[in-house]
Amino acid sequence: MKPEASINSPRFRRALDFVLKWETVYRKGEAVATNDPADTGGLTKFGIDQRSHPNINIRSLTKGLAAAIYHRDYWLPVRAHELPVPVGEVVFDIAVNNGKARATKWLQQILGVKADGFIGPKTLAAARTTDSLILASKLLARRESFYRSIARGRKTKFLRGWLNRNAALSNFISEI
């Protein structure tokens, strides 16, 4: 594995720190598992939900194991480490919060390449020849539009947090 693909790479660690700020609930200084009835993922800790990870004991999940899951199940599959900074960071956060397929297809649609949900050589090449800040901004705008389109019924209560996360990600990428 290339050093930049490592779980210990500074790039992954910075992106993970951002994700964990939004995905972790603390009580009395300790990360806790939560189960919001409006969240279809069920029991969740560090943003890792029981529905997506049925073989994980969510209540006893450690930050280290959560980091390994994020690296294996999100960072590497969307090839965030191969995408330009800050595009990889935005695609990673979208994959975590909105799904890997959605993150990948949005990237491909914006780039004008075949939206097959697989980041291969053509997607990587297109991303590398596009202004990365403009591309990242377009991804964030696409996600904001998506959030607004799904904020209905039980999900309405999440809209402010989703928009705050999107704005924070915009600020985060402007600093890297």
Side-chain angles (χ1 to χ4, degrees), residues 61-72:
L61 183 67
T62 64
K63 186 177 180 181
L65 181 54
I69 292 168
Y70 279 119
H71 187 258
R72 180 195 69 217

Side-chain angles (χ1 to χ4, degrees), residues 1 4-9 12 16 66-77 81 92:
M1 183 179 307
E4 62 272 11
S6 164
I7 193 170
N8 295 315
S9 76
F12 171 71
L16 178 66
I69 292 168
Y70 279 119
H71 187 258
R72 180 195 69 217
D73 293 354
Y74 299 94
W75 183 260
L76 293 176
H81 58 289
F92 172 60

Side-chain angles (χ1 to χ4, degrees), residues 105 107-116 122-123 126:
K105 288 180 181 180
L107 173 66
Q108 292 170 323
Q109 289 165 355
I110 292 167
L111 289 170
V113 298
K114 183 178 179 184
D116 61 5
K122 290 180 182 176
T123 302

Side-chain angles (χ1 to χ4, degrees), residues 1 7 59 66 78 94 97 143 168 170:
M1 183 179 307
I7 193 170
R59 289 199 189 282
V78 299
I94 293 172
N97 194 238
R143 181 159 82 165
S170 180

Side-chain angles (χ1 to χ4, degrees), residues 37 48 50 70 80 82 88-89 95 106-107 115 131 135 138-139 146 157 165-167:
I48 304 299
Q50 192 70 72
Y70 279 119
E82 296 179 71
E89 288 75 2
W106 287 351
L107 173 66
D131 182 297
L135 179 54
K138 287 180 178 182
L139 284 163
F146 173 74
K157 72 178 192 172
R165 180 181 185 145
N166 220 37

